[in-house]
């Protein structure tokens, strides 16, 4: 439970950074938006930050294969993101935007997954090299 709270707070930190970047871009472009819209988008960002922070615990289940961990994480992630994206207005409730949104989600997920995979493969290689020495 303590680990879930710690990861939630870490996820909130990431969402705060992303929200700050988005607000900075909006400020630099002199975009005027109501407080209620900013509040709703920030809430969505925080929910996703908490979700991704806590859901990373799926990858700590040692008796699951990496394929099972990734599949469960992906399915849960899209199940949380898609309704939230439509509720908040990140995706209009029309077929084409939903298909494009799901496709974009998959591309971003694959990019992050690939980055993590290659990072841990490199780390594994470095650790094996240090053991050989």
């Amino acid at each position: 439970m303590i680990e879930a709270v710690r990861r939630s707070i870490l996820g909130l930190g990431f969402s705060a950074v992303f929200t700050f970047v988005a607000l900075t871009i909006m400020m630099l472009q002199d975009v005027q938006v109501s407080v209620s819209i900013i509040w709703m988008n920030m809430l969505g960002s925080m929910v996703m930050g908490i979700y991704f922070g806590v859901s990373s615990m799926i990858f700590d289940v040692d008796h699951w294969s990496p394929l099972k961990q990734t599949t469960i994480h992906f399915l849960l992630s899209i199940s949380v993101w898609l309704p939230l994206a439509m509720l908040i207005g990140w995706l209009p409730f029309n077929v084409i935007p939903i298909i494009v949104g799901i496709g974009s989600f998959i591309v971003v997920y694959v990019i992050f997954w690939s980055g993590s995979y290659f990072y841990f493969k490199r780390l594994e290689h470095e650790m094996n090299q240090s053991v050989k020495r």
Side-chain angles (χ1 to χ4, degrees):
M1 189 63 168
I2 292 173
E3 183 63 18
V5 170
R6 188 184 75 74
R7 290 186 190 205
S8 294
I9 292 170
L10 185 64
L12 283 172
F14 276 104
S15 73
V17 170
F18 287 125
T19 301
F20 181 76
V21 168
L23 289 174
T24 300
I25 292 168
M26 291 171 61
M27 182 188 71
L28 292 173
Q29 294 184 355
D30 199 29
V31 174
Q32 301 297 316
V33 180
S34 71
V35 172
S36 62
I37 290 174
I38 292 172
W39 183 88
M40 184 65 79
N41 283 282
M42 191 168 184
L43 175 64
S45 177
M46 291 169 64
V47 168
M48 289 309 300
I50 291 169
Y51 165 75
F52 279 111
V54 173
S55 69
S56 67
M57 295 174 76
I58 290 171
F59 295 101
D60 293 340
V61 180
D62 292 329
H63 62 276
W64 285 357
S65 71
L67 177 61
K68 182 175 182 177
Q69 292 170 335
T70 302
T71 302
I72 290 172
H73 185 264
F74 173 79
L75 292 173
L76 283 174
S77 297
I78 203 158
S79 297
V80 169
W81 174 78
L82 187 58
L84 183 67
M86 289 190 299
L87 178 69
I88 289 177
W90 294 340
L91 277 179
F93 193 69
N94 293 317
V95 175
I96 299 299
I98 290 172
I99 291 170
V100 170
I102 290 171
S104 299
F105 182 90
I106 291 169
V107 168
V108 170
Y109 193 92
V110 167
I111 289 169
F112 274 91
W113 182 89
S114 298
S116 297
Y117 176 80
F118 289 118
Y119 168 76
F120 286 115
K121 277 295 187 186
R122 189 183 74 205
L123 190 64
E124 174 187 20
H125 176 73
E126 290 172 1
M127 291 172 73
N128 286 335
Q129 292 300 323
S130 69
V131 169
K132 288 179 184 177
R133 287 183 227 154

